[in-house]
Amino acid sequence: MINKIIGSAQEAVADIHDGATIMISGFGEAGSPIELIHALIDQGARDLTVVSNNTGSGNVGLAALIENRQVKKMICSFPRTANSTVFPDLYRKGEIELELVPQGTLAERIRAGGAGIPAFYTPTSVNTPLAAGKEVRQFNKQSYVLEYGIRADFSLVKCQIADRYGNLIYNKTARNFGPVMCTAAQTTLVQARKVVAPGEIDPECVITPGIFVKRVVQISNPEDESKLVAEKRRYPWK
């Protein structure tokens, strides 16, 4: 029978290769799969392109992955937030690349990638530096910029509840980019706070169907990113 549950975060990320494109869910710390990210740091894959809403906080999670020089390029909407210092410092030094994408456009590019839509037009970014070098067309006397769908080799996603088939339920705003990232990756890796038996999730409540999920690992007590940042913790733990 289908069973997508595996024993550890380390096992989940074991086949992520150098040069991979990885989508990482999260809206700030909400929905950030911090244990999967830390397992990826330990695994050591490098030259990664990471697609995420922001660039992490403090020196843990995504920020720690960047600080460990494993990320060559970020595709994101908010490269600098209240507690982000790692990415801004590296970017000013020219040691990491950035593709800045408006948040709604980023979500739609990921959704399009998952839906098999290669490109679409949007009025967002018209007459701004973000439209430089991109195709612009007129529809009904309004300008639109051509944007391309995004697909990834892997997605790292956090959910609240999963079953062994890989069906997922999220917790409120922790849902954010998770559902579309699951559809837009070749291999989706999920950390779930709770794993239940088949049939315990009402089919009407499933947000991400298991067909889009490859592996699930149960992380019952995930790290609190805000607490780690406030305590000035660093990963690997110092």
Side-chain angles (χ1 to χ4, degrees), residues 54-123:
N54 52 279
T55 60
S57 298
N59 302 92
V60 296
L62 178 53
L65 184 71
I66 294 170
E67 187 173 36
N68 205 42
R69 303 300 200 275
Q70 290 175 250
V71 180
K72 71 174 182 179
K73 180 179 180 179
M74 282 297 309
I75 301 175
C76 70
S77 299
F78 294 94
R80 182 176 180 180
T81 53
N83 293 307
S84 64
T85 58
V86 173
F87 177 86
D89 288 347
L90 291 178
Y91 184 71
R92 283 191 289 267
K93 294 175 184 176
E95 297 179 11
I96 191 168
E97 301 173 44
L98 170 66
E99 182 178 339
L100 187 64
V101 185
Q103 191 176 64
T105 302
L106 180 63
E108 182 61 11
R109 287 182 66 186
I110 297 169
R111 190 201 70 81
I117 299 170
F120 60 92
Y121 289 94
T122 173

Side-chain angles (χ1 to χ4, degrees), residues 25-201:
S25 69
F27 193 79
E29 69 175 288
S32 177
I34 191 168
E35 279 74 18
L36 287 176
I37 299 170
H38 289 171
L40 181 56
I41 293 173
D42 297 339
Q43 190 256 32
R46 311 192 76 81
D47 295 322
L48 304 172
T49 296
V50 173
V51 182
S52 191
N53 182 62
N54 52 279
T55 60
S57 298
N59 302 92
V60 296
L62 178 53
L65 184 71
I66 294 170
E67 187 173 36
N68 205 42
R69 303 300 200 275
Q70 290 175 250
V71 180
K72 71 174 182 179
K73 180 179 180 179
M74 282 297 309
I75 301 175
C76 70
S77 299
F78 294 94
R80 182 176 180 180
T81 53
N83 293 307
S84 64
T85 58
V86 173
F87 177 86
D89 288 347
L90 291 178
Y91 184 71
R92 283 191 289 267
K93 294 175 184 176
E95 297 179 11
I96 191 168
E97 301 173 44
L98 170 66
E99 182 178 339
L100 187 64
V101 185
Q103 191 176 64
T105 302
L106 180 63
E108 182 61 11
R109 287 182 66 186
I110 297 169
R111 190 201 70 81
I117 299 170
F120 60 92
Y121 289 94
T122 173
T124 307
S125 81
V126 169
N127 297 324
T128 74
L130 296 181
K134 297 179 180 179
E135 179 184 333
V136 178
R137 288 187 61 182
Q138 297 283 323
F139 296 94
N140 297 322
K141 299 182 180 180
Q142 183 173 351
S143 295
Y144 291 80
V145 176
L146 180 67
E147 298 282 358
Y148 291 92
I150 304 176
R151 288 196 57 81
D153 300 300
F154 299 88
S155 283
L156 308 185
V157 172
K158 181 179 181 180
C159 78
Q160 182 73 1
I161 300 173
D163 64 19
R164 77 164 187 239
Y165 297 145
N167 297 307
L168 311 180
I169 295 176
Y170 304 85
N171 182 28
K172 303 177 180 67
T173 57
R175 175 173 175 169
N176 55 70
F177 287 88
V180 290
M181 286 184 171
C182 286
T183 68
Q186 185 69 29
T187 302
T188 294
L189 317 174
V190 176
Q191 68 171 71
R193 184 180 288 270
K194 182 179 181 181
V195 173
V196 299
E200 288 192 36
I201 299 177

